[in-house]
């Protein structure tokens, strides 16, 4: 039972990390219609930058904040390249983000090196109902809960949040109301960068990141986002938790090398399930 609880808490924490990446996918797709394949890059830059800055002597808090800003700035830069020119087709923007994600490998190796980086945030472990669990796992869960609460307030209570929602619902009507969809899209890319960077900063103390760690994070984040149809952050959170717990159980009881296969299999199952439901939902809407 203690092992099960340890795997469960670890899975929930891992799922929370996936949820932050997934929320970046959802944020960008809702506003721009673009699937940002550079979302995993934001997490790698955030995590590795925090580790590098802490190694250079910056104190905790400052290093993580600078790394988070760097991830957000990278999100804005990729947004400018991908959608900055009005009229760019979404498919073209998707290809641009994929190319930038691949090209980022070289820059990351030059800046951070080719070895995995890690750092200590919440040191030590706690006894949770007889299970030995790292404090960092609880930090990840807590920060994710706060982040989703802030996002809910942002979209529900602020003008900018409502403007982003308007662009996702009806860009044409939003433009007639004086809202610039391109500007809102760039803001969505920036927030997506911040969310991805936050995920990387939180997971690096538990799971060292290297320049090619973006693939695993992106695959899991995308799988969770697909669970919500790339439109619903709360459903993406549910999908991310299912993925995280499933992978933790497989890694704990079977073999950790099968974790990526679990993510791919679940993503395929979700996509098949959604494609089977889409005609039925469309018929109901008619």
């Amino acid at each position: 039972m203690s092992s099960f609880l340890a795997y469960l808490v670890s899975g929930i924490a891992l799922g929370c990390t996936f949820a932050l990446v997934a929320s970046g996918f959802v944020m960008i797709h809702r506003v721009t219609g673009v699937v940002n394949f550079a979302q995993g890059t934001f997490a790698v830059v955030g995590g590795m930058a925090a580790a590098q800055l802490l190694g250079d002597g910056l104190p905790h808090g400052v290093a993580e904040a600078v790394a988070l800003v760097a991830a957000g700035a990278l999100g804005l830069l990729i947004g400018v390249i991908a959608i900055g020119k009005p009229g760019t087709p979404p498919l073209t923007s998707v290809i641009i983000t994929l190319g930038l994600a691949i090209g980022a490998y070289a820059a990351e190796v030059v800046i951070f090196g080719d070895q995995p980086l890690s750092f200590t945030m919440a040191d030590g472990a706690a006894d949770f109902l007889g299970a030995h669990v790292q404090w960092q796992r609880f930090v990840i869960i807590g920060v994710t809960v706060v982040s989703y609460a802030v996002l809910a307030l942002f979209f529900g209570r602020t003008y900018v949040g409502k403007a982003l929602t308007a662009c996702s619902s009806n860009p044409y009507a939003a433009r007639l109301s004086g809202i610039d969809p391109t500007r809102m899209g760039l803001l969505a890319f920036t927030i997506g960068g911040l969310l991805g960077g936050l995920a990387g900063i939180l997971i690096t103390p538990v799971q060292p990141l290297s320049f090619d760690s973006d693939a695993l994070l992106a695959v899991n984040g995308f799988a969770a986002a697909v669970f919500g149809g790339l439109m619903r952050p709360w459903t993406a959170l549910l999908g991310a938790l299912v993925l995280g717990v499933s992978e933790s159980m497989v890694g704990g009881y079977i073999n950790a090398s099968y974790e990526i296969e679990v993510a791919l299999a679940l993503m395929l199952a979700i996509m098949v399930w959604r494609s089977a439901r889409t005609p039925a939902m469309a018929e109901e809407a008619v």
Side-chain angles (χ1 to χ4, degrees), residues 27 149-158 160-162 164 187 191:
M27 169 75 69
V150 170
L151 285 175
L153 290 174
F154 173 71
F155 282 108
R157 300 293 181 87
T158 67
V160 176
K162 292 178 180 180
L164 285 168
L187 177 59
I191 297 175

Side-chain angles (χ1 to χ4, degrees), residues 63-77:
E64 288 88 348
V66 172
L68 193 61
V69 170
L74 179 61
L76 175 60
L77 176 61

Side-chain angles (χ1 to χ4, degrees), residues 48-60 62-63 66 111-112 117-119:
M48 296 188 76
Q52 184 75 55
L53 292 169
L54 287 167
D56 291 340
L58 263 69
H60 276 290
V62 176
V66 172
I111 297 172
F112 305 116
L117 296 180
S118 184
F119 62 92

Side-chain angles (χ1 to χ4, degrees), residues 11-12 14-20 22 148 220 223-225 227 235-245:
I12 292 173
L14 185 62
C16 287
T17 304
F18 297 157
L20 291 172
Y148 265 77
N220 283 284
F227 189 77
T235 312
L237 173 61
L238 176 61
L241 293 175
V242 171
L243 275 171
V245 172

Side-chain angles (χ1 to χ4, degrees), residues 38-168:
Q39 190 64 34
T41 302
F42 303 150
V44 170
V45 168
M48 296 188 76
Q52 184 75 55
L53 292 169
L54 287 167
D56 291 340
L58 263 69
H60 276 290
V62 176
E64 288 88 348
V66 172
L68 193 61
V69 170
L74 179 61
L76 175 60
L77 176 61
I78 289 179
V80 169
I81 298 173
I83 67 165
K85 182 179 179 181
T88 303
L91 180 58
T92 301
S93 298
V94 170
I95 295 172
I96 290 173
T97 63
L98 179 59
L100 291 173
I102 296 173
Y105 282 2
E108 289 162 0
V109 171
V110 171
I111 297 172
F112 305 116
D114 59 355
Q115 298 301 311
L117 296 180
S118 184
F119 62 92
T120 301
M121 182 180 290
D123 201 6
D127 287 328
F128 178 71
L129 298 178
H132 203 58
V133 182
Q134 292 173 286
W135 278 112
Q136 183 64 27
R137 309 280 185 181
F138 296 108
V139 171
I140 294 172
I141 296 171
V143 171
T144 302
V145 170
V146 171
S147 299
Y148 265 77
V150 170
L151 285 175
L153 290 174
F154 173 71
F155 282 108
R157 300 293 181 87
T158 67
Y159 172 80
V160 176
K162 292 178 180 180
L164 285 168
T165 302
C167 288
S168 67

